[in-house]
Amino acid sequence: SPAPPAMAARARTEEMRDRVVLGEFGVRNVHTTDFPGNYPGYEDAWDQRRFEQAFRVDVIREEEGTLEFDMVGIDAAIANAFRRILLAEVPTMAVEKVFVYNNTSIVQDEILAHRLGLIPIRADPRLFEYRNQGDEEGTEIDTLQFQLKIKCTRNPQAAKESSDPDELYFNHKVYSKHMTWVPLGNQTDLFPDADFRPVHDDILIALLRPGQEIDVLMHCVKGIGKDHAKFSPVATASYRLLPDITLLQPIEDEAAELLQKCFSPGVIEIQNIKGKKVARVANARLDTFSREVFRHEGLKNLVRLARVRNHYIFSVESTGILPPDVLVSEAIKILMGKCQRFLNELDSVPME
């Protein structure tokens, strides 16, 4: 028997509150619901105790340089704040000034400086201060100094008929491993066991030929991605909503096999029940939502595609300067600092 109208209306409201539904043409229920009075009969005012009960963070996968974790029970605005802070506001150290003493390579000075600026430097930015505006000279508390001094020469032992540059020349490839740290002031005492160097040794900076040389000194300073992309600590930081796939009625035999092909591998599995092939959702998380199922007339009304509104799957890929879990905790601290500053402003400004 059909559900009474009140129950059906409640079920519809639940769907609007909890799911973002992907239709054949367009997406439904995309607006945020986190404010009181949005739905009659629901107490949607923000409540700290309720939030603390519902909120959770699950780490799904942590490999070298990559972290995937779920944040459940937050609003899109907060999730997006974390993403943007990771991209543009977590500080790192990067080459800011390049003093060119000699550069006879075919790479122009400014191109060389730009390439050096983009090399990720393995140095914990928390050990350094920001350099003051207008300071030309760096000090040991705000600057790291690197030197790159290299000259290309011929290999006298090379075979006459050889045409391989690796055999003909010495130092003809300038790599990031050729950058050496030059301690400033008392940095040797400040960082006794420090190993300041580029994250990767094998970044190709320039190609040289015999007689050409590069002699530069670099100053690395602390900065944020908002000022220049070279300071961004992540290769990428993104989130997506958890997919939710519902089969509205049993799908069997050929239809089940066709359904399986419509989704990413591993999403739909086919079970053998009493000699019949029956489709079931095995792992919706793996789906990319190509909406291929909507191209098949016989299937498109049998499946509901949705995303869970408050379940965010974050993926953070570090450039190697700091591990991704440290980046996420730094981002949280930065957001807390912003909130604190806002609260202090509210307290200090007299109300009209």
Side-chain angles (χ1 to χ4, degrees), residues 57-245:
V57 175
D58 307 326
V59 175
I60 305 297
R61 193 166 51 89
E62 188 170 1
E63 290 159 15
E64 195 189 356
T66 311
L67 175 69
E68 185 183 322
F69 65 95
D70 290 7
M71 230 184 225
V72 187
I74 53 166
D75 190 47
I78 307 290
N80 201 36
F82 284 129
R83 182 188 69 84
R84 291 181 57 165
I85 289 170
L86 280 165
L87 285 169
E89 294 190 51
V90 175
T92 62
M93 301 292 286
V95 173
E96 174 72 9
K97 282 196 160 53
V98 178
F99 303 94
V100 182
Y101 293 105
N102 197 358
N103 173 22
T104 51
S105 73
I106 61 165
V107 182
Q108 298 98 324
D109 293 358
E110 50 270 45
I111 303 288
L112 180 66
H114 185 250
R115 290 176 72 82
L116 292 169
L118 292 171
I119 293 172
I121 305 293
R122 181 168 285 158
D124 191 332
R126 294 169 295 183
L127 303 173
F128 297 90
E129 301 293 328
Y130 287 103
R131 189 190 273 198
N132 291 328
Q133 212 88 39
D135 270 12
E136 283 304 310
E137 292 298 311
T139 64
E140 62 267 11
I141 58 163
D142 61 26
T143 307
L144 267 181
Q145 190 169 257
F146 284 89
Q147 187 178 34
L148 175 63
K149 192 171 184 173
I150 190 164
K151 185 171 184 172
C152 177
T153 53
R154 281 186 194 282
N155 177 7
Q157 266 79 51
K160 280 232 161 52
E161 63 283 354
S162 169
S163 62
D164 178 10
D166 289 336
E167 200 183 321
L168 287 171
Y169 316 123
F170 292 131
N171 286 341
H172 80 110
K173 284 183 173 173
V174 183
Y175 285 112
S176 49
K177 66 179 176 203
H178 295 126
M179 290 168 59
T180 53
W181 173 46
V182 181
L184 271 173
N186 63 347
Q187 281 182 340
T188 6
D189 308 330
L190 278 176
F191 314 112
D193 46 2
D195 180 20
F196 297 129
R197 59 191 173 84
V199 172
H200 306 284
D201 286 338
D202 56 352
I203 299 173
L204 186 65
I205 298 169
L207 292 174
L208 303 179
R209 285 295 176 262
Q212 295 181 352
E213 62 179 298
I214 289 176
D215 180 6
V216 297
L217 202 62
M218 293 159 264
H219 279 182
C220 297
V221 301
K222 183 171 171 175
I224 57 175
K226 216 189 249 185
D227 297 328
H228 194 293
K230 67 186 175 187
F231 292 114
S232 185
V234 291
T236 173
S238 62
Y239 62 77
R240 60 194 180 101
L241 289 169
L242 178 74
D244 172 57
I245 299 166

